[in-house]
Amino acid sequence: MVRTEKKKKSGIRIFVALLLMVVVAALVYKSIITPENHQIPVNEYDDNSSSYSPPISSDHKTMPDPSLELEPEPSVSISPGELNSPNAILINLKDHTVLMQKNSEEKIYPASLTKMMTAIVVIENLPDLKKEITLTNSVFQGLSEADASMAGFQPGEEVRAIDLLYGALLPSGAESCVGLAYYIAGSEKDFVGMMNQKAADLGMHNTHFENSTGLQHENHYTTVKDLSILLSYALQNDTFREIFTSSRHTTPPTNKHPDGITFKSTMFEELNNQSIADVEILGGKTGFTDEAGLCLASLAQVGDQEYILISVGAKGDHYTEQYNITDALAVYNSIEK
C-alpha cells in the first residue's frame, strides 16, 4: 500500500510539471506573434509599388517633420478662359509644378517653336560651335516658295555654327536650321530623325517632326505640354539659354557680309519694351503659321522664381495685335508675388 501511494504522488508531480511547461510555452509563443509586438523592417518596400512604404507606428499617428515642410506654391489669378490662346501651359521651372494649363495635351502645330528642338539637337551633337559651315544652294531650295522666315544669309556664305544657332532662334531663320541640319546629319530628313529620337528620349510622346523649321505639315505636330518638357530641358544647357535669352546678336564678318549681320529677337521686338513691375521676361521664341496661329515659348522671372509659358493658337498674324505677347504679360502678371 505504501509503495502504491508513493507511485501515485510521483505521477501527480510529473503531470503538474508537464502542465506548467505547456503553459509557459504557450505564453512565450503568444508574446512573439502578437501584432502589436511584430516589428516591420525599416527598409521594407511594398511589393506592389516601387515607392518606399514607411512603417506605421502602433498608434497610427505620425508627427510632421518641420524640416520637410515646403513653402506653398504660388497661384495665378487669371483663369485659362481669359486667354486668347486656346492652348497654354505655365510651369515653375524650379520644381516643374504646373500652375495653369489649358488644353495642354491637345494636338497642335508648333510652327517656329520647332526651332527649339533643332537648336538643342545641334548643340548636343556639334562639339565645336565655332566650326564654319558653308551654306550650299540646296539649303535654300523651297524656302522662299514656302514663305519661310529668313535670317539673311546667302548661298555660298561661310558661317560659324554658333551664328547659325542665333540666326535660328532670334530672327527665326529657316536657312540657318536647314544649313545646320545638312552639316550635322547630311540631310534634313536624317536630322529630323534625330529630332524625333530626342523627343522620344525626353518623353514627348505626342510629338512628331517632319522638318527642322516648323513649316506647316499635317504630320508635324506636338502639344504645349510636350513643348514645355522640351523647353525645361533645353534651358538647362548654358549655350541654349544664352541664345534663348539674347535680344540681339551680331555675327563676325563673313565672305558675303563683311560687316557681319545683326539679328534681333522677334519676341523682344514684339514685346516692344512692355514690362510689368516685379516681372522680367528673360527670353523667348515666337512662331506663326496660318494653321498654328500666334505662338510663344517664353521664360520669365517673377520675384525670385523662374517660369516658362507655352501658348499656341492665338488668332491674328504679324500685322495684328500680338495676342501671344498679350497672353504672356497677363499670365506672368497674375502670378502671386
Side-chain angles (χ1 to χ4, degrees), residues 125-176:
N125 286 276
L126 186 58
D128 183 9
L129 293 179
K130 293 184 179 180
K131 178 73 176 179
E132 283 199 346
I133 296 173
T134 300
L135 300 178
T136 62
N137 288 325
S138 58
V139 167
F140 294 81
Q141 288 180 359
L143 295 182
S144 59
E145 293 82 353
D147 196 26
S149 55
M150 307 290 278
F153 296 114
Q154 297 178 13
E157 191 157 4
E158 298 171 0
V159 189
R160 297 184 311 170
I162 187 66
D163 297 316
L164 290 173
L165 285 168
Y166 275 100
L169 289 182
L170 270 59
S172 207
E175 83 276 32
S176 297

Side-chain angles (χ1 to χ4, degrees), residues 178-235:
V178 179
L180 288 164
Y182 271 60
Y183 185 79
I184 296 289
S187 70
E188 186 178 18
K189 180 180 179 181
D190 288 343
F191 183 81
V192 170
M194 297 170 67
M195 294 169 65
N196 284 320
Q197 182 59 56
K198 188 65 180 181
D201 293 344
L202 292 176
M204 298 169 63
H205 300 305
N206 297 303
T207 295
H208 185 269
F209 297 111
E210 282 288 331
N211 55 64
S212 64
T213 61
L215 288 172
Q216 180 60 29
H217 190 289
E218 184 179 0
N219 204 33
H220 187 97
Y221 59 84
T222 185
T223 67
V224 293
K225 180 179 179 181
D226 277 6
L227 288 175
S228 73
I229 294 172
L230 169 61
L231 184 54
S232 297
Y233 171 80
L235 285 170

